[in-house]
Structure formats: structure tokens, C-alpha cells
Amino acid sequence: MYHPNMFESHHHMFDMTKSSDNDLGLTGSREDDFETKSGAEVTMENPIELEELPDPNQRPNKKKRYHRHTQRQIQELESFFKECPHPDDKQRKELSRELNLEPLQIKFWFQNKRTQMKAQHERHENSILKSDNDKLRAENNRYKDALSNATCPNCGGPAALGEMSFDEQHLRIENARLREEIDRISAIAAKYVGKPLLTHSSPFSQLTSSTHIPTRSLDLQVGSFGNNNSSQAGFVGEMYGTSDIIRSVSIPCEADKPMIVELAVAAMEELVRMAQTGDPLWVSSDSSGEILNEEEYFRTFPRGIGPKPIGMRSEASRESTVVIMNHINLVETLMDVNQWSSVFCGIVSRALTLDVLSTGVAGNYNGALQVMTAEFQVPSPLVPTRENYFVRYCKQHSDSTWAVVDVSLDSLRPSPITRSRRRPSGCLIQELQNGYSKVTWVEHTEVDDIISVHTMYKPLVNTGLAFGAKRWVATLDRQCERLASSMASNIPTGDLSVITSPEGRKSMLKLAERMVMSFCSGVGASTAHAWTTLTTTGSDDVRVMTRKSMDDPGRPPGIVLSAATSFWIPVAPKRVFDFLRDENSRSEWDILSNGGLVEEMAHIANGRDPGNSVSLLRVNSSNSGQSNMLILQESCTDASGSYVIYAPVDMMAMNVVLSGGDPDYVALLPSGFAILPDGSRGGGNAIAGAEGEVVTSTASNGGSLLTVAFQILVDSVPTAKLSLGSVATVNSLIKCTVQRIKDALACDGA
């Protein structure tokens, strides 16, 4: 009878393994349930010869010898096995005729070969499992050692197991290091801001007004700036390194990584459900779109990053759209910090990848895990930025669906300077036909109410339009259209104007992109900026700061003075945008054009909206003794806001760019306008002005929040001192421009 433990007999298995390639192993296999023609069962202990089949009633007296196959027979059988390991009766008969063997011999050879391959596969799997088991055992021992070496935070002696949790012990150990870290951040801030900060205090703890961001006032009677002997009020703020504060956040240690992974996995699950679930989690509202039901949220997701801290308010929004970019490129854009910062330059003022815990598998971003820090802004110096320390996780859910989620890591390392944190936020990307993708964006943050937002911008921030999902989705849609336009090849010749080649078109778009990024990075309230408020008597505060430009081919060398102001006007954003971007109305507000006729030399459309375009303008001077000036301008608009950004450019440098040359060496000092809706819903809303005065909007679509920002080269020598005259000139320039815009839009005295 069949031996029940034949595969557990090691010496029989080894005999089979050694002889399977050259011998006829006439052994049976249970999985094939075969029977010999004579009715006798064939076992490893009783191999038989087909040349002399025994009588079924007689027991053989001696062990039969194996029948060896020829080399040719073995090669043919091996070759056929690679193509078909389970031949049927017809195939076995054909092989038997070709190889001069019995069909049963063929059948038994294939059975033994399958058994051998199965054993090899099991040995390989066992080896892998053993390796994984060793790794888990080593990690377990490491955690045991960490627990056994725990120390008491009070006396420094050994702590009894169970006296405190591992997480609590880890946080207590990190507490002293965090205090030193905050002191170092304060020292860096004091170096650049010009005054010391209190130890363990928030950058916003120095707020002295509930209606605006305080900045150092500048007495215009001071004769010079930059003198070390002058008083503190005699300095104009400087823009310093873009990562000095952000880089101070430390890289996570090894003990943090398992907790980060667990947090990221839970955040991914929450994001997908937030993106796909409707009522009762998201409640529809006629006036505000979808509103998150917080009670249902905490009931559905009890884990997360913990309850909402006292004093923080929630901002949650969800938005969907279809963009002209395939899902693979979208994922790459979101996971590459440089591309992400470039595409969302109006929202992300600074970003840095601190550590990459996983790069993904199979050559893509599936499973990629990054620890990051970023600063989010509104294009105005009146709205505080939001800094977040978070982990970004990317996962492929199916062949055509990806998700990218962010979640704050402040719960791992609590800090007294935390003023905002991101609950699971990000997007779900679904592949569509013809290179399109559907993007569902979820933005869920908690913000400390201590952060003071200027009264003008409170409706915009409180309605979620400033940092919500609608702004992210609208920006992504517009940037995807811009990228598609830059890659298009079927552009009518008439649209190219003086641009004679696709290379020239791409170079001009690349130059305009750098101009927009430079403008956006310098117009907000980033902690990299030290805005100084000029002492004025009007309703619009002008803030200024300086930057020394040296060894940067993209900027002219010398001292650059930046000035910005924000104000409200009771005119719809679209009307303001159309007025500022139109070259025919430029002479009504642009003082530097000296009333000259402005002519558009080149025009590149950047999307479906006619307002999204890049133009090369020529200002024909009315004075015959002055040369004509070229201006590069990009205008862009979407549902969240609009920009009109421009910069004077050298004629010879632009000729190189229009011929397809490198645009990185063209010096630019961008100026321009950021136009945002005021957050009102319909006309007749009362909005507070720059100094808190209440005015009423009569526009059918509400009013506009307009930020004007200039960059002026006040001295071509980087080591020169900034004079009072330069500051006064720039202040007068920006105030006069604001007044001209108000007059032209018939809103003087608003």
C-alpha cells in the first residue's frame, strides 16, 4: 500500500533528488492519484521495471534496478517540462513515441520532476522566512534592551519595567534636547530679526495687536541704514536663508520610525475614506459647499493623531476636479519636494525633505515614505504662515488609483511653538482616458486661534479659501494646463509672434516660471522675511525689506529693496485682474512706463482661460532720447485667485531666450499683484479696511484683496549702505501706484 509519510523520509527524498535528472524514478504522487495498468501501487520503496511487470498476486523477492534514461531523453523531457509541466495523455503518448519510452515512464518522470521542483521551492521559501524571522527577533531584542535600559526622568536611575510606557520614556528623554533646540532657534531668529526672543516662546508670542501682524516700525528721520552703531529702529528687515528655521527641525531617530510608519498607514486609510465617503461624514451646504461633521469624524476615526487641542479650531474641506496630467506624473510631482514647491509656489513658501524612510518598490513611489517640513502662505504679508512637520506617504491602491497623504508628526515630539497641525490631508488620484486624471483633494488642519490674521483677511481664512482644498485643486488644474501648453507642438504660427521656434517658446515659459516663483517667495509673511513697517499716516501700511544679491546670475548684483502693501477695494476680482493685465491700460497705473505706449510683441496662451498667458511687452518711450524697455509679464487666474507678475528684461538677453537659449542667466527683479476674493458671499457685505475702518462692498461678486509688491535695485554695489532717500522713493512709488489703481477703478476713498 501507499506509504503515508513518504515525503518525511529524508533518505528517500535525497535518493530521488540525486537520481531524478538521470534515472527513471517510477514513484507515485498523491496529488496525481495515478494507478498502474496492473492495479499495483508504486512506491519509493518498491520501484518497478516496465520491461518485466510482476504478477499482482506475487510479491517481488528482490529490489528491481532503476532504468536509466539517455542524455537525449533527459534533455527532451526537461525542455518539454519548461513549457508544459502537466502533459495530458495525448502529449505523453507523443513523447513516448519520440523518445522510445513507455507512456507510464513519461508520466512517472513528470510526477517526480514536479515533486522535485516543489521541494526546491519550499526550501527557498523556508530560507526567506528564516531570514525575516531573524530580523524580527533582532528587532524584538533591540526593543527589549531599550525597555530594560530605561532611566528615571527625575533621578536618572534605572526605572522599573511598567513604571512608564516606552512612548512616555522616549518623549521625556527627548524633552531636554528639544529645549536646547528651541534655544538655538531663538538664537537664529534673534540674529536676523534684530531682537532677542524669549526662551521656549512662540514666534507669535510677541503679538501686540489682535488685528494685524506686528512689525518693527521705521523712523523716517533716521539718516542711514546698515550702520552697526545706529539704533535698532534704524534697520530695515532682511530676507535671509530660505531654510535656516526649517532646517533646525531634527531628523527622526530610529526609535521613531516604527511609530511614523504606523501613523502613516492609519492616515492613508483615513484619507481614502474621507475622499470617498459622503453623508453623514460630509454634510452638504448651499452656502459653504461640503462641511465636515466633526462628531461623525471622531466617531469614525477614533485613532488618528488624538483629540483636537484646546484653543485650536478645525478647517476641513474637500474638492474634486479633472486635470490634464496622467496619474504617474501627478504622483511624481507630489513626491518630489522641488516639483511640489514649484507647482504650488503660491501656497508653499518653503519646503524641505528631512528624511526618506522608503523610496518605494518596483521602481515607482508605491510605498514611499518621507519626513518633511513645509511652510504654507497666503500672498500677503498680513496673513501669518503655517509651518508643519509631517510625514508624506504614497500608496498604489490599484492599477489606476494612487493616494498621497500628509499627517503631522507633532504628536511624537510636542513643541510649545506648534501653531497648526495637519490631520490626514492629501489627494486620491484616479487614472482616466487620454492622459487625464481625477483628483479628489482633502485638506484637514487644526489652527491655533492665537495666530492673528488681519481683519481684512479673516473672512477669506475662516471660509477655508485661503488654505483649503479648493485653492490646492484650482492651482493644480491651472499648472497642469500650463505644463500641457509648454509641451504642445501644434501651435499656430500666428500665436508665436516673434518666437520663431518651439525651443524659444519653452525658454520663455521657463523664464516666466522662475519669475513667478521669485515673486511668490517674497510677497508673503514667511519666517524667512523680516518685514519692516514704514511709519505712515495713510490707511495702507507699506512694509519693506532688503536683500543683498551677490553671485546670482538670475538677479542683478547689488542691494534690492522690496516693498509690499495689501488693501481692499469694492471691485470684483475679475475686473481688477483684467484691468491690471491689459497692456492698453498699463499706462494708467505703471509709473515707470512714463506714459509710453505699451505694445505686445509676443503672446503665449497658458490654458483655457484667456487670462492665463505669458507676454513680452515693449514700452515705446515718448522721449526720443530714451531707449525702449522690454517687460516680461505672466498673468494667471483660477477660482482661488489671480496674479499679474512682471519684470523688466534686457533686450539682448531676451533675444538669446527667444532663440532657445538658457533663461537661467537672465537677471530678473519681479514685481506685480496678487488678487484674492475677500471671502464675502454676495454683495453688500461689510469689510474692514487696512486700519479697521468698515466699508461696504457693492460689487455683485464681493470685493478684492489686492497685494502690490515691488522689487527695486537701489544700489548696484552689494556692500553699499541703504539710504533714507531710497526707502522714501520706493514708499512713494508704491503709494502712488495704489492711488492710481483706485482712481482708475473708480474706487477712490474706498
Side-chain angles (χ1 to χ4, degrees), residues 178-448:
L178 285 170
R179 291 179 181 273
E180 295 176 359
E181 195 88 18
I182 295 170
D183 289 340
R184 186 165 63 87
I185 294 173
S186 299
I188 294 174
K191 176 181 178 182
Y192 291 104
V193 174
K195 59 181 179 181
L197 298 179
L198 297 177
T199 302
H200 311 315
S201 67
S202 164
F204 301 102
S205 62
Q206 307 297 327
L207 296 178
T208 58
S209 170
S210 62
T211 59
H212 67 280
I213 301 174
T215 51
R216 291 173 287 121
S217 62
L218 179 67
D219 186 358
L220 291 180
Q221 299 302 317
V222 177
S224 64
F225 300 88
N227 190 340
N228 294 332
N229 297 325
S230 51
S231 65
Q232 177 179 315
F235 286 90
V236 173
E238 292 186 356
M239 176 188 291
Y240 54 92
T242 57
S243 297
D244 289 333
I245 298 295
I246 286 184
R247 289 183 187 276
S248 65
V249 181
S250 60
I251 297 175
C253 61
E254 287 295 325
D256 288 335
K257 293 180 180 179
M259 291 178 280
I260 292 175
V261 172
E262 182 179 354
L263 186 63
V265 171
M268 176 61 71
E269 179 183 353
E270 179 176 325
L271 173 74
V272 173
R273 293 181 64 183
M274 288 275 284
Q276 296 177 341
T277 305
D279 190 61
L281 185 61
W282 293 96
V283 181
S284 298
S285 171
D286 295 336
S287 59
S288 304
E290 291 182 313
I291 299 176
L292 181 66
N293 184 340
E294 288 200 20
E295 292 184 3
E296 182 66 22
Y297 170 79
F298 285 109
R299 187 163 49 248
T300 306
F301 307 106
R303 295 173 61 193
I305 58 176
K308 182 173 65 175
I310 299 175
M312 282 193 169
R313 60 179 177 83
S314 295
E315 293 181 6
S317 55
R318 182 173 68 172
E319 198 77 23
S320 297
T321 191
V322 175
V323 299
I324 181 171
M325 181 180 286
N326 67 61
H327 62 295
I328 300 299
N329 290 338
L330 277 175
V331 169
E332 182 178 353
T333 299
L334 296 173
M335 297 305 296
D336 186 313
V337 67
N338 294 324
Q339 293 188 51
W340 179 61
S341 301
S342 174
V343 169
F344 297 101
C345 61
I347 306 175
V348 182
S349 57
R350 300 186 296 166
L352 185 69
T353 299
L354 298 173
D355 195 11
V356 178
L357 305 185
S358 172
T359 58
V361 295
N364 57 39
Y365 284 104
N366 183 24
L369 201 64
Q370 303 174 358
V371 176
M372 303 174 64
T373 181
E375 185 182 52
F376 305 105
Q377 68 169 358
V378 170
S380 171
L382 301 182
V383 182
T385 57
R386 299 179 178 181
E387 293 187 46
N388 290 117
Y389 173 53
F390 58 93
V391 60
R392 175 164 294 178
Y393 178 42
C394 177
K395 183 180 179 182
Q396 182 179 9
H397 292 271
S398 66
D399 291 340
S400 59
T401 303
W402 291 69
V404 178
V405 65
D406 297 344
V407 62
S408 284
L409 296 177
D410 302 301
S411 57
L412 294 180
R413 298 184 180 181
S415 171
I417 64 173
T418 299
R419 287 291 176 254
S420 69
R421 64 176 189 170
R422 288 169 71 79
R423 286 191 175 272
S425 303
C427 61
L428 190 68
I429 305 170
Q430 297 172 279
E431 180 187 11
L432 302 179
Q433 295 180 347
N434 302 323
Y436 285 79
S437 300
K438 180 183 178 182
V439 177
T440 302
W441 201 289
V442 175
E443 198 66 22
H444 192 185
T445 60
E446 291 170 339
V447 187
D448 195 334

Side-chain angles (χ1 to χ4, degrees), residues 550-566:
M550 299 175 64
D551 302 325
D552 185 354
R555 298 181 184 274
I559 297 180
V560 177
L561 183 62
S562 300
T565 186
S566 297

Side-chain angles (χ1 to χ4, degrees), residues 588-637:
E588 297 183 44
W589 58 264
D590 189 1
I591 300 174
L592 298 180
S593 64
N594 295 322
L597 179 64
V598 180
E599 176 187 2
E600 186 179 53
M601 298 177 60
H603 178 91
I604 301 177
N606 266 345
R608 292 167 294 184
D609 194 300
N612 293 332
S613 63
V614 176
S615 304
L616 184 62
L617 308 177
R618 180 172 61 190
V619 181
N620 299 312
S621 176
S622 57
N623 188 347
S624 59
Q626 294 181 350
S627 59
N628 296 334
M629 178 174 60
L630 291 183
I631 295 176
L632 178 66
Q633 174 179 294
E634 174 158 354
S635 58
C636 50
T637 183

